[in-house]
Amino acid sequence: QARAESDGEEMYEDSEDGGEGDGGAGRSSQNILEQQASFVECFREELFAQRPLLLSQLNNLYKMRSGEELPYKVSGYEKLRDFLLDIPGLSLMGRGNRMQVRLGDPTKLEAFQSSCQAQRAEVNTPQFRMPKPLPEGLLRRLYELFLHCENNEVPLRNFLKIWNATFPTEQLAYRSLGFRDVRGLLSQVPFIEKVGGKTDAKYVLRRHDGARTAQANHVSITFTGLHAGGAGTVGDFHHDVFGPG
């Protein structure tokens, strides 16, 4: 494991050989590779887009997407950071609860993923699957819901209640979309973000200083109306996603 400095913060990079690191005795290298490959597949989009991925949030986000926790401790790792540093191409930067996993070497990570896919094909190992894309109609409904809530925010504990009150004839069928709970579904909505902790978690409509295009669920959404001074309109969303008319 190599250590470097980046903008005054500690940065840790994967070892050159991409090996298992210390304490690897007794671990199944095949199982570890499968778990590491699943991690890369889950967060590939964020990694290659250089989006922030805080270590403190990785386990919950992975569980929302896959229905399972990251099994790094089962593989013999005491800390998540050690598991991540054994994945070629990844690096860690920052300190404490602000530590992030970043893509340090795209070539290494691509080669690692290709190798894992080849090995999986030989033994017919099941692969990680991201949830299905959210339907465009559901994205529009969610945008409308947040747009009309006070401060454009909804507490997680009241989300289903507010949804049912807003759309009494439409069930929020998150399980049929492949999610275990509402949190999992909301984690895939690009124009909201989660704030707060376990007891006071809420989702809020993102605010932007200007127009921004986000690729979400294979639908390009331009947030022309989400300015610092106020949210946009349902018409803005409908036009940007579905086109004029």
Side-chain angles (χ1 to χ4, degrees):
Q1 167 180 325
R3 174 176 169 177
E5 295 291 328
S6 174
D7 299 328
E9 293 186 320
E10 294 180 358
M11 175 181 283
Y12 299 83
E13 299 176 344
D14 65 281
S15 57
E16 284 298 315
D17 59 3
E20 294 183 4
D22 296 333
R27 284 186 265 165
S28 166
S29 59
Q30 182 62 38
N31 287 341
I32 293 171
L33 283 175
E34 291 173 5
Q35 293 158 10
Q36 291 172 335
S38 294
F39 175 87
V40 174
E41 289 161 10
C42 180
F43 296 107
R44 178 182 173 85
E45 183 178 343
E46 288 91 345
L47 289 168
F48 279 89
Q50 294 291 352
R51 297 176 193 160
L53 283 172
L54 294 173
L55 262 66
S56 59
Q57 299 176 353
L58 284 180
N59 205 26
N60 283 340
L61 187 53
Y62 185 89
K63 186 175 181 179
M64 288 178 188
R65 294 180 177 181
S66 70
E68 300 177 353
E69 293 185 355
L70 279 166
Y72 62 93
K73 290 187 177 180
V74 176
S75 299
Y77 291 95
E78 288 189 18
K79 297 181 179 179
L80 175 58
R81 59 183 286 175
D82 296 327
F83 170 80
L84 296 175
L85 285 171
D86 274 351
I87 301 178
L90 297 189
S91 61
L92 304 179
M93 62 184 303
R95 296 188 178 95
N97 61 4
R98 303 305 301 172
M99 182 172 283
Q100 301 178 21
V101 58
R102 303 293 294 270
L103 179 59
D105 189 328
T107 303
K108 277 188 179 182
L109 189 61
E110 290 277 18
F112 170 75
Q113 195 168 25
S114 296
S115 174
C116 290
Q117 289 173 348
Q119 292 183 44
R120 283 174 160 179
E122 291 178 2
V123 296
N124 196 29
T125 303
Q127 298 189 28
F128 176 88
R129 290 286 183 267
M130 287 288 285
K132 298 177 182 178
L134 297 182
E136 294 172 354
L138 175 58
L139 287 173
R140 182 174 57 186
R141 282 291 192 236
L142 288 167
Y143 186 82
E144 183 179 351
L145 184 148
F146 278 91
L147 195 63
H148 289 92
C149 284
E150 184 177 359
N151 299 321
N152 305 129
E153 62 184 43
V154 180
L156 175 59
R157 64 178 180 273
N158 296 335
F159 192 88
L160 281 177
K161 180 180 179 180
I162 293 174
W163 171 275
N164 292 333
T166 307
F167 309 111
T169 62
E170 301 178 34
Q171 183 180 6
L172 185 60
Y174 54 87
R175 288 194 177 92
S176 65
L177 293 170
F179 300 99
R180 298 178 64 207
D181 50 34
V182 173
R183 288 190 309 165
L185 184 149
L186 295 177
S187 71
Q188 301 301 304
V189 179
F191 46 82
I192 63 175
E193 60 186 343
K194 180 182 176 183
V195 297
K198 290 183 178 180
T199 57
D200 61 347
K202 59 185 177 181
Y203 289 86
V204 301
L205 199 61
R206 291 182 185 273
R207 304 279 182 170
H208 298 269
D209 293 330
R212 172 187 173 188
T213 297
Q215 187 68 29
N217 303 299
H218 310 293
V219 178
S220 184
I221 302 172
T222 305
F223 298 101
T224 55
L226 303 187
H227 296 282
T233 66
V234 177
D236 292 332
F237 179 81
H238 185 279
H239 180 277
D240 294 327
V241 176
F242 302 101

